[in-house]
Amino acid sequence: MRCFGTAMTSAPIAPAAEPQEGRNRYDFAAVEAKWQQYWLTHKTFRAELTPGKPKAYVLDMFPYPSGAGLHVGHPEGYTATDIYCRFLRARGVNVLHPMGWDAFGLPAEQYAIQTGTHPAVTTQQNIATFRRQIQALGFSYDWDREVDTTDPHYYRWTQWIFLQLFEKGLASQAEIAVNWCPALGTVLANEEVSDGKSERGGHPVIRKPMRQWMLKITAYGERLLEGVERLDWPEGIKAMQRNWIGKSEGAEVDFDIENDLGKLRVFTTRPDTLFGATYMVVAPEHPLLGQLVTPEQKDAVEAYVLAAARQSERDRTDAGRPKTGVATGRSAINPVNGQRIPIWVADYVLGGYGTGTIMAVPAHDERDFAFAKTFGLPIVQVVSADGKPFESAQSAAFTEEGVAIHSSKFDGLTTAAFKKAITEQLVAEGRGEARVNYKLRDWVFSRQRYWGEPIPIYYPMDGAQAASSPEAVEAAVRSASARIRYDQPIAVLASELPLLLPETTDFQPTGDAEPPLSRCLGWRYFQKDGKWFARETNTMPQWAGSCWYYLRYLDPRNDQAPASKEAIDYWLPVDLYVGGAEHAVLHLLYARFWHKVLFDCGVVPTDEPFQRLVNQGMILGEDNEKMSKSRGNVVNPDVMLKEFGADAFRLYEMFMGPLEQVKPWATAGLHGTKRFLQRVWTLFDKPISEAAPEGDTLRLLHKLIQKVTDDTQNLRMNTAIAAMMGALNELVRLETLPRQVAETFAVLLAPYAAHLAEELWQKLGHGPSVSRVPWPSYDPALCIDDFLELPVQVNGKMRGKLMVARGTPAAELEALALADAGVLRHTEGKTIRKVIVVPDRMVSLVVS
RNA sequence: GCCGGGAUGGCGAAAUGGUAGACGCAGGGGACUUAAAAUCCUCAGCCCCUAGACAGGGCGUACGGGUUCAAGUCCCGUUCCCGGCACCA
């Protein structure tokens, strides 16, 4: 390979550092600053839509710019993608590699509440810090494509996508129970509640029905599930997505309530156990509960329902908790055998799943078994492994599949056959039907918060005509003489987007459930055609902006569409998406959902956004614990950069181990990568010879190209770096450095230690930039050695080594092996039973 | 409990079924230096034999079995660790 600088010689750039007297120290600080400046001003890594040129869209999960700044976990994935992108560019691929900010969210708003600083101000400060820190690492992002989810030019399109969902009937309002904390004056996420108290402050939290915007992600459940199969994602993440969607197939069955009180419908995945149903359970929130409870049981049931309502969803669903429940006093009729079975109410049945009612089969369901034991309810076995009845009373539920018993004419059927037969019979009798259920719930999409995208919806008002001002409208609403018609939502016209967040300094929660935007009266109430309207005052959750940012990068300044059709058609899908596993479910599921909706709208041509996903493993503290402020084991990248430089830092993060693996930080390790860079720098002080490399050096070079190419392609940066270190250890022994070796080494190093490689390239007499130099190729014939050291085993133990020429025939190898001194020691006086010779590999002898 | 991923020197790790520990960190010895840092050279899995070195031998990839001429790697079982989910009928 012969590489000469191709372009940009006219660019003003400082001369390469000259070797000084004595020891030539590599001044990483100066060199890194110089090249970062160069890349930025020359837009070296700008991505341009080039029809016909192969493309790669390599995406990092964009960060939430927190006040704490970057931590060492961020640059791990960013470094991996940066190396990969620089490598691909050198291989002639048109690479799109952008960065941006997921900047709406709670911390900025909390900070505003405490200090009065507007979230927009905090956010911009934090973004500036993050940008500075990320740029100091020398990543090859196309900064012209930077996006910020809080920028109205961005969230205009977030709102536009919401309107698409609204028009398709996928966004609607519902009264649902949320975790309301009166003391904090806010709704809390399930994760923020434990034991019925708020995580922060320990205030009581109640379940309170409130009007919420919901997105019907359940309508896409099957497609989201099925799409997982075609994705090149880690198996674990795919499993989590499947599990979250939670598809289960079964049947719904009607049970008549005695005294002609109607029917209760249950969902079951085991209709084959119908004969074993000995009682039923309805969820405490079941709508028919009030009608079916008997007068004697009314008080007890009401008390139970009240207690259940006080629990959070999370506590309700905490497995392993003792079973509780109350009999309703009423019974139902088992449709297959006419038996009267009691109906209970218990909180282990959830109102939101299936029909909110179950048939309990204690013999074959662990939960029902525990409940039946607690309350002394009958247990009837209807499935056995071998078709024979159980000998003794069960000590646990038998939940496996098996053969039916005690099920009249169905006895002897396997579980699968029974399910099919009984479902057909129930359908024929009009008592049930086959049914698929999903655990996936619709997405609660509204937040009672200020710092989020306003939902672009408004409502007509009754009784507000006379009002002369927003304040008067508000007064009328408060006195109940005017009413907001939430049942008649109107979409803001797409042409009127963005619907801007109003300026306010009033972020304090007030104790009622009204979002802060409700108090921006001049924004909330407006007149149109002489009538008053009220805007939606909930905002979108933080997930909204990150659901589609990968699209905006394609065409970030477009004010006609989220991105142009040409850009979308050219760049999509994302070829490689790298980020932490903490987003395994929510972000990745929500983004896939939106993408599929946009696919249905004809906006995107693919039905999945992220073809390939890689999770970088978490970096732990030096103490092997998760990094956290409270543990005091957080490593600050700024400090590391100052002492070791960006190249050494990046190299270390990659050298620590495989990208996907969890691994502990060790600052001492940075000495190694810094030393390596210094030694490379010193290597280039050797006299450069123009003669072509030959012999071992040539072989070394080609092996190195092969190894680095292979490993980089497969994101095995750790072993690529090890190979470069190994090669360096050989090259330092040379008297002079052949130009071809030096140039190739610089090009191979460039994706990994980009600043140093640029400097070396310049030092070799080339103009910038090494990033424009094509990746070297290798000759496979030069990657294999002429002479090999072959092991000889005797009875499986290594007893000798043969130095032989490649291709030495088996017979000759056998003769050599048998004559080897080390081997003879173990074969003397013994019989050779077997000789296995694998040419160019090894010789194995079996003796006795 | 279920799902996913792990377990290799003092530490991070490497190894198409074919010489376990490449590459690095930390460490020992040496050179340079007034000294230190930096740099360079060099040693190094554990154990036995040995005055020491060479040579040699034994044991070693969480544990127990198995397949194979040959197992860190493949198969069966077990333990422990990490991540996620967890009363979803």
Side-chain angles (χ1 to χ4, degrees):
Chain A
M1 184 214 71
R2 206 80 176 150
C3 13
F4 291 106
T6 46
M8 318 241 22
T9 38
S10 62
I13 182 88
E18 284 303 314
Q20 288 133 25
E21 290 299 307
R23 191 132 274 138
N24 181 7
R25 303 273 298 138
Y26 172 54
D27 184 357
F28 68 80
V31 169
E32 290 178 356
K34 165 181 156 186
W35 289 103
Q36 283 167 18
Q37 191 55 43
Y38 176 88
W39 296 329
L40 274 180
T41 55
H42 291 79
K43 299 189 186 295
T44 307
F45 304 111
R46 192 167 56 196
E48 282 181 77
L49 201 160
T50 317
K53 194 175 175 189
K55 67 91 188 180
Y57 185 0
V58 181
L59 182 65
D60 292 307
M61 287 186 186
F62 67 165
Y64 173 75
S66 73
L70 220 57
H71 61 79
V72 295
H74 287 116
E76 188 191 10
Y78 301 166
T79 302
T81 53
D82 187 64
I83 290 168
Y84 187 59
C85 286
R86 288 173 181 269
F87 167 75
L88 289 180
R89 287 192 199 97
R91 303 252 283 180
V93 177
N94 196 19
V95 173
L96 178 61
H97 189 43
M99 179 47 69
W101 321 108
D102 185 17
F104 273 128
L106 228 51
E109 186 167 341
Q110 298 290 27
Y111 189 74
I113 290 168
Q114 284 158 23
T115 66
T117 314
H118 195 278
V121 173
T122 316
T123 299
Q124 289 313 310
Q125 287 168 352
N126 292 349
I127 286 176
T129 303
F130 265 65
R131 190 191 294 112
R132 173 185 63 72
Q133 290 185 304
I134 287 176
Q135 289 183 345
L137 284 156
F139 295 130
S140 62
Y141 294 118
D142 177 353
W143 287 102
D144 289 349
R145 292 173 185 266
E146 183 178 347
V147 302
D148 166 0
T149 57
T150 66
D151 181 342
H153 295 105
Y154 182 94
Y155 73 66
R156 167 187 182 174
W157 298 105
T158 311
Q159 292 173 329
W160 181 86
I161 295 170
F162 178 86
L163 292 182
Q164 308 307 305
L165 288 152
F166 180 66
E167 275 159 28
K168 286 182 110 50
L170 294 167
S172 56
Q173 301 167 83
E175 286 281 326
I176 60 151
V178 293
N179 300 305
W180 172 249
C181 177
L184 292 173
T186 184
V187 165
L188 298 174
N190 280 334
E191 296 73 27
E192 298 170 308
V193 184
S194 72
D195 273 340
K197 301 244 164 69
S198 65
E199 198 83 340
R200 248 170 353 113
H203 306 294
V205 172
I206 56 166
R207 301 279 295 167
K208 176 177 169 177
M210 285 174 58
R211 185 185 60 89
Q212 303 287 332
W213 276 92
M214 310 283 294
L215 297 189
K216 278 201 183 53
I217 190 171
T218 50
Y220 281 71
E222 189 59 36
R223 282 170 66 187
L224 288 167
L225 180 66
E226 171 268 332
V228 164
E229 301 315 314
R230 297 190 308 273
L231 295 173
D232 180 13
W233 287 18
E235 207 36 60
I237 304 290
K238 297 209 309 190
M240 279 191 236
Q241 293 237 332
R242 286 190 204 103
N243 185 267
W244 191 263
I245 295 165
K247 179 179 184 173
S248 59
E249 296 177 66
E252 287 191 352
V253 185
D254 287 326
F255 283 63
D256 289 325
I257 308 170
E258 63 175 359
N259 303 349
D260 292 324
L261 280 172
K263 286 186 269 194
L264 274 179
R265 173 162 275 223
V266 304
F267 171 71
T268 177
T269 55
R270 294 293 299 271
D272 61 297
T273 61
L274 255 168
F275 285 87
T278 54
Y279 64 101
M280 296 181 79
V281 183
V282 297
E285 49 277 83
H286 197 281
L288 289 181
L289 186 54
Q291 293 170 41
L292 57 85
V293 61
T294 59
E296 303 80 59
Q297 287 299 99
K298 195 164 190 293
D299 289 348
V301 167
E302 274 175 6
Y304 186 77
V305 168
L306 212 62
R310 271 199 283 270
Q311 290 177 325
S312 71
E313 172 100 16
R314 170 159 289 210
D315 293 333
R316 268 286 294 279
T317 58
D318 185 14
R321 201 163 135 257
K323 295 279 179 289
T324 60
V326 175
T328 61
R330 195 73 64 188
S331 289
I333 309 300
N334 186 330
V336 293
N337 58 14
Q339 293 232 313
R340 285 182 71 243
I341 56 175
I343 303 169
W344 286 63
V345 56
D347 66 2
Y348 82 93
V349 172
L350 308 172
Y353 181 78
T355 60
T357 307
I358 61 156
M359 62 174 206
V361 185
H364 305 290
D365 181 280
E366 285 170 23
R367 300 150 300 184
D368 297 343
F369 185 85
F371 191 84
K373 283 282 182 195
T374 306
F375 294 102
L377 292 159
I379 298 171
V380 175
Q381 296 152 358
V382 292
V383 186
S384 86
D386 53 8
K388 295 185 193 117
F390 295 40
E391 305 248 312
S392 55
Q394 282 177 270
S395 57
F398 175 74
T399 58
E400 316 278 300
E401 300 206 340
V403 178
I405 56 172
H406 304 147
S407 297
S408 82
K409 66 174 180 179
F410 298 100
D411 282 353
L413 284 184
T414 62
T415 298
F418 192 169
K419 277 185 187 178
K420 191 160 175 286
I422 190 78
T423 305
E424 280 167 7
Q425 179 182 315
L426 289 165
V427 170
E429 293 172 352
R431 291 171 184 277
E433 56 193 311
R435 169 80 194 193
V436 175
N437 260 318
Y438 299 87
K439 278 198 266 186
L440 184 67
R441 307 292 173 85
D442 279 331
W443 176 9
V444 180
F445 195 68
S446 38
R447 296 290 181 272
Q448 295 70 43
R449 293 286 176 180
Y450 172 74
W451 194 230
E453 300 87 346
I455 292 176
I457 294 287
Y458 59 96
Y459 306 93
M461 299 191 71
D462 288 347
Q465 292 82 344
S468 57
S469 68
E471 289 72 22
V473 176
E474 173 74 1
V477 170
R478 284 187 178 265
S479 67
S481 63
R483 196 158 67 95
I484 300 171
R485 295 300 303 266
Y486 287 114
D487 56 328
Q488 296 173 21
I490 303 167
V492 173
L493 290 175
S495 59
E496 291 171 3
L497 297 178
L499 172 59
L500 295 173
L501 263 179
E503 287 293 326
T504 182
T505 50
D506 178 16
F507 311 108
Q508 291 293 335
T510 51
D512 59 26
E514 289 292 294
L517 290 185
S518 313
R519 299 193 296 273
C520 300
L521 299 181
W523 177 87
R524 184 181 189 188
Y525 300 111
F526 65 99
Q527 276 179 303
K528 195 169 164 187
D529 304 330
K531 289 185 203 148
W532 284 102
F533 293 90
R535 294 196 185 280
E536 174 59 61
T537 55
N538 282 296
T539 53
M540 300 189 199
Q542 202 187 339
W543 308 108
S546 60
C547 269
W548 72 284
Y549 74 112
Y550 59 94
L551 278 180
R552 190 59 177 171
Y553 281 139
L554 307 182
D555 194 7
R557 309 293 167 247
N558 195 322
D559 60 2
Q560 303 298 313
S564 73
K565 187 167 182 342
E566 302 77 61
I568 289 171
D569 286 346
Y570 180 72
W571 291 112
L572 280 190
V574 173
D575 297 283
L576 175 65
Y577 193 21
V578 176
E582 66 273 20
H583 295 114
V585 179
L586 297 183
H587 160 61
L588 289 169
L589 196 68
Y590 293 154
R592 291 181 61 223
F593 166 45
W594 277 35
H595 191 90
K596 284 179 188 298
V597 173
L598 292 172
F599 175 72
D600 291 347
C601 293
V603 175
V604 296
T606 62
D607 82 328
E608 287 288 342
F610 314 121
Q611 190 46 49
R612 180 177 175 209
L613 175 76
V614 171
N615 290 125
Q616 83 266 20
M618 199 181 5
I619 295 181
L620 306 174
E622 301 230 25
D623 54 0
N624 244 300
E625 301 282 346
K626 209 168 178 162
M627 275 194 198
S628 73
K629 244 187 218 162
S630 58
R631 285 206 179 81
N633 60 356
V634 174
V635 177
N636 182 342
D638 282 345
V639 175
M640 297 296 131
L641 287 196
K642 196 159 187 302
E643 187 174 351
F644 300 98
D647 282 337
F649 179 82
R650 293 171 37 148
L651 224 39
Y652 173 67
E653 289 225 346
M654 295 296 99
F655 189 61
M656 287 169 81
L659 180 61
E660 292 94 331
Q661 190 169 305
V662 176
K663 42 212 175 276
W665 182 263
T667 299
L670 277 153
H671 292 293
T673 50
K674 185 180 176 187
R675 200 172 289 150
F676 166 67
L677 297 171
Q678 175 63 53
R679 299 218 304 147
V680 171
W681 181 247
T682 311
L683 174 75
F684 278 67
D685 281 344
K686 283 187 195 292
I688 302 288
S689 82
E690 299 300 329
E694 46 191 20
D696 288 347
T697 306
L698 185 63
R699 246 173 248 286
L700 175 81
L701 184 66
H702 281 258
K703 282 186 199 169
L704 181 65
I705 299 170
Q706 182 187 42
K707 180 75 177 150
V708 175
T709 304
D710 245 45
D711 285 349
T712 309
Q713 178 85 61
N714 294 302
L715 303 180
R716 291 191 299 250
M717 283 72 182
N718 54 329
T719 47
I721 294 166
M724 287 189 272
M725 287 174 167
L728 175 68
N729 289 342
E730 299 303 320
L731 294 177
V732 293
R733 299 175 201 285
L734 300 179
E735 291 294 320
T736 60
L737 191 59
R739 173 167 289 276
Q740 195 189 334
V741 173
E743 292 189 341
T744 304
F745 197 90
V747 175
L748 293 178
L749 186 65
Y752 289 84
H755 309 87
L756 174 62
E758 289 279 22
E759 192 68 13
L760 294 174
W761 189 248
Q762 195 182 15
K763 203 173 165 185
L764 288 168
H766 300 296
S769 143
V770 72
S771 70
R772 299 184 187 281
V773 179
W775 192 255
S777 56
Y778 58 88
D779 178 355
L782 288 172
C783 293
I784 47 181
D785 291 307
D786 289 343
F787 286 89
L788 304 165
E789 195 186 39
L790 298 192
V792 182
Q793 291 181 0
V794 179
N795 286 349
K797 284 194 205 281
M798 232 271 292
R799 298 301 186 187
K801 293 174 187 176
L802 309 175
M803 275 305 297
V804 298
R806 170 170 296 278
T808 303
E812 199 172 321
L813 289 175
E814 181 176 341
L816 286 168
L818 291 170
D820 183 84
V823 173
L824 281 173
R825 248 197 306 278
H826 297 275
T827 54
E828 265 169 353
K830 295 184 176 153
T831 314
I832 300 201
R833 300 281 177 203
K834 198 169 175 184
V835 181
I836 294 126
V837 183
V838 184
D840 295 340
R841 268 265 178 255
M842 50 87 66
V843 179
S844 185
L845 306 175
V846 185
V847 304
S848 64

